[in-house]
Amino acid sequence: MAQQLLMPKATAVWLVDNTALSFEQIATFCKLHPLEVKAIADGESAQGIKGLDPIATGQLSRDEIARAEANPAHKLKLSDPKVRVPESKRKGPRYTPVSKRQDRPNAILWLVRNHPELKDAQISRLVGTTKSTIEQIRDRTHWNSANLAPMDPVTLGLCSQIDLDLEVERASKGRPLPTAAELGATLESAQETEKLPYSTDREDEQEINADAVFAKLKSLKSSTPDEDEDDNF
């Protein structure tokens, strides 16, 4: 990874105020336009920005600034960092703690069953395993196949839900849409439903219900005078 200047505009403000460097030299070093550096010198730009000393941050040396001031054609160069942070590049399977390695076969079985679209390389990235182990679990030839139980790798702590969703999304790209047979039973078309005969059971039920209602009303009507006579006493 190439070394980059920290806070270029703040560094340019400091160089304008504290050195005799040309606008072109400062612009080249800070990756700014010379007119922008001139605007900083005239107070038209970066008025609220506090200058950052590149010497204090270890990005420039006093000798480098002195050489550039003596030679307008000299281009400033960043100082080599005293401490180099190695880049975090992970190649191959994900590292899995020893305490969780016994759960990997169960997680692989869960992924194979619930996400058959995942490739072996994706499963290997998720749970940190080898292609041969995945093939053994797919083919049920693993030495412990009889005792394996599918378990969610996220629940086991072998990967995060974000990583799993990302791999599933990658695997799903370019796949054809599921057919009606794969989705299961669907609603019948309108043409098929129009051919169905109408049933008269509902009409019979309505007639029966109507007779029952009228019979109940007649019984209530006949009992009403008796209730009125009781109220008179």
Side-chain angles (χ1 to χ4, degrees):
M1 182 178 178
Q3 187 183 1
Q4 294 182 355
L5 178 67
L6 299 175
M7 302 178 66
K9 188 165 288 189
T11 303
V13 171
W14 189 92
L15 292 174
V16 168
D17 294 339
N18 296 277
T19 67
L21 297 170
S22 66
F23 295 158
E24 288 76 10
Q25 287 175 308
I26 297 175
T28 302
F29 179 70
C30 299
K31 292 181 173 56
L32 301 174
H33 195 278
L35 293 179
E36 189 173 1
V37 178
K38 184 178 184 301
I40 293 174
D42 295 339
E44 299 175 357
S45 176
Q47 295 180 357
I49 298 178
K50 183 179 180 181
L52 178 66
D53 185 357
I55 300 174
T57 58
Q59 298 187 97
L60 268 181
S61 64
R62 295 186 183 276
D63 294 339
E64 181 68 13
I65 294 177
R67 282 193 293 269
E69 289 176 334
N71 182 11
H74 180 75
K75 295 182 179 181
L76 291 169
K77 296 181 181 179
L78 283 170
S79 301
D80 292 333
K82 297 180 180 180
V83 179
R84 292 187 179 274
V85 180
E87 297 181 22
S88 57
K89 292 183 178 180
R90 180 173 58 85
K91 294 182 179 180
R94 180 193 300 270
Y95 172 76
T96 305
V98 178
S99 59
K100 296 183 179 180
R101 290 182 184 178
Q102 59 183 0
D103 297 328
R104 282 190 298 191
N106 295 329
I108 297 171
L109 182 60
W110 187 92
L111 291 171
V112 169
R113 289 188 178 181
N114 293 276
H115 295 287
E117 70 275 12
L118 290 176
K119 299 179 181 179
D120 291 352
Q122 294 178 297
I123 297 176
S124 179
R125 285 197 298 267
L126 287 171
V127 299
T129 185
T130 60
K131 185 177 180 180
S132 60
T133 303
I134 299 173
E135 291 177 352
Q136 291 173 4
I137 294 176
R138 286 185 190 273
D139 302 336
R140 305 295 294 177
T141 58
H142 191 267
W143 66 272
N144 197 28
S145 294
N147 299 321
L148 294 182
M151 298 184 70
D152 189 349
V154 177
T155 304
L156 294 174
L158 295 174
C159 67
S160 65
Q161 187 65 50
I162 296 177
D163 292 338
L164 177 58
D165 294 343
L166 181 61
E167 295 295 348
V168 171
E169 182 180 356
R170 288 176 179 174
S172 300
K173 288 182 178 179
R175 293 187 67 202
L177 295 175
T179 60
E182 293 175 347
L183 291 174
T186 57
L187 293 175
E188 294 183 357
S189 61
Q191 296 177 353
E192 296 295 332
T193 55
E194 289 176 355
K195 298 177 182 179
L196 296 176
Y198 289 99
S199 175
T200 57
D201 295 342
R202 185 174 298 275
E203 297 177 358
D204 297 339
E205 291 179 359
Q206 291 179 354
E207 293 178 359
I208 296 173
N209 292 337
D211 294 340
V213 171
F214 283 119
K216 189 173 182 180
L217 288 175
K218 290 179 181 180
S219 62
L220 291 174
K221 185 176 180 181
S222 59
S223 60
T224 302
D226 297 337
E227 292 177 358
D228 295 339
E229 292 177 358
D230 294 340
D231 293 340
N232 294 330
F233 288 107

